[in-house]
Amino acid sequence: LWDLCHSVGVVPTDLGAADVDLAVGCTYKYLNGGPGSPAFLYVNADRTDLQNPVRGWYGSDDPMGFGFDAGPAAGASRFLTGTPPILSTVLVEPGVDLILEAGIDRLRAKSVALTERFVALVDLHLAPLGFGVQSPRDPARRGSHVSLRHDAAQAVSQALVNEARVITDSRPPDLIRFGFAPLYIGFADVDEAVRRTAEVVESGGIDRWRGVQSVVP
């Protein structure tokens, strides 16, 4: 079972060549589906033995019969549950179209360039302020986000979101995540994010937001 949430749309992945049985992912990150967009499931066509333990009416072989003794649908359809969110699902399509138009290899190249620049600027400008790079420094071992360590990660993240309009999130106890969607994030955005992070910390933002619950508006 592969988790594709942080790779689909930014990292070339050939599930068939890797002979993956199952993969799950989301569409609201790099596929640009937005809030409420659906998750997805990949099922290897050869794994006809796999069953869904929580079968919905769409996943049965007689979805309109509503019978308790209905069997599973053929193929990957057996993993469907209830009615999908139609509007949210429709909005995924233009996001995927943009990915296909840009090309996954070009997006990956830009993603690596963006994160490499960010890591270099963190070392130069933010390391003296108590930040450290937690993500692998080898770009081949990371996706399109970079996690930083800081003792006051939650306060820094809240200060960035609420004062500097830099949308990050924090993970206890000491991580801040910066994501770089290569379709619409540019190198000037990377520079500005680092500049604003330094500015927030140097201006006392940690003290202003220490203890505030982490919420991204």
Side-chain angles (χ1 to χ4, degrees):
L1 173 62
W2 285 22
D3 181 349
L4 306 179
C5 289
H6 286 278
S7 60
V8 64
V10 286
V11 178
T13 306
D14 190 337
L15 299 178
D19 197 26
V20 174
D21 291 328
L22 294 167
V24 294
C26 59
T27 59
Y28 74 90
K29 292 181 183 290
Y30 301 113
L31 294 185
N32 308 295
S37 62
F40 65 87
L41 171 70
Y42 166 89
V43 183
N44 190 312
D46 293 333
R47 293 306 308 269
T48 57
D49 58 313
L50 295 175
Q51 300 292 328
N52 184 0
V54 187
R55 188 189 311 152
W57 67 290
Y58 267 33
S60 77
D61 58 0
D62 184 18
M64 303 311 295
F66 302 102
F68 289 105
D69 57 350
S77 295
R78 71 186 59 191
F79 291 94
L80 293 174
T81 53
T83 306
I86 301 301
L87 293 180
S88 298
T89 301
V90 168
L91 292 177
V92 174
E93 186 173 4
V96 173
D97 287 342
L98 288 172
I99 297 290
L100 295 174
E101 181 180 347
I104 190 64
D105 291 328
R106 293 171 62 198
L107 290 172
R108 175 59 177 163
K110 185 182 177 186
S111 166
V112 169
L114 289 169
T115 56
E116 286 285 85
R117 183 175 183 85
F118 181 71
V119 168
L121 291 175
V122 168
D123 288 339
L124 184 63
H125 299 292
L126 299 185
L129 299 176
F131 291 87
V133 176
Q134 179 67 24
S135 294
R137 288 182 175 269
D138 178 0
R141 297 183 58 233
R142 67 171 183 257
S144 204
H145 82 269
V146 176
S147 294
L148 303 183
R149 295 187 317 276
H150 194 281
D151 290 342
Q154 181 170 309
V156 172
S157 182
Q158 284 299 289
L160 286 171
V161 170
N162 291 284
E163 296 184 12
R165 299 183 63 82
V166 176
I167 307 301
T168 64
D169 64 5
S170 60
R171 291 292 185 271
D174 60 357
L175 294 182
I176 309 170
R177 301 194 306 176
F178 290 77
F180 302 90
L183 270 177
Y184 50 84
I185 295 293
F187 295 98
D189 299 314
V190 174
D191 296 356
E192 187 66 12
V194 172
R195 186 192 70 78
R196 293 187 189 187
T197 301
E199 184 178 78
V200 158
V201 173
E202 291 172 336
S203 69
I206 291 176
D207 291 333
R208 291 191 294 274
W209 292 94
R210 193 183 299 275
V212 176
Q213 184 178 0
S214 180
V215 176
V216 177

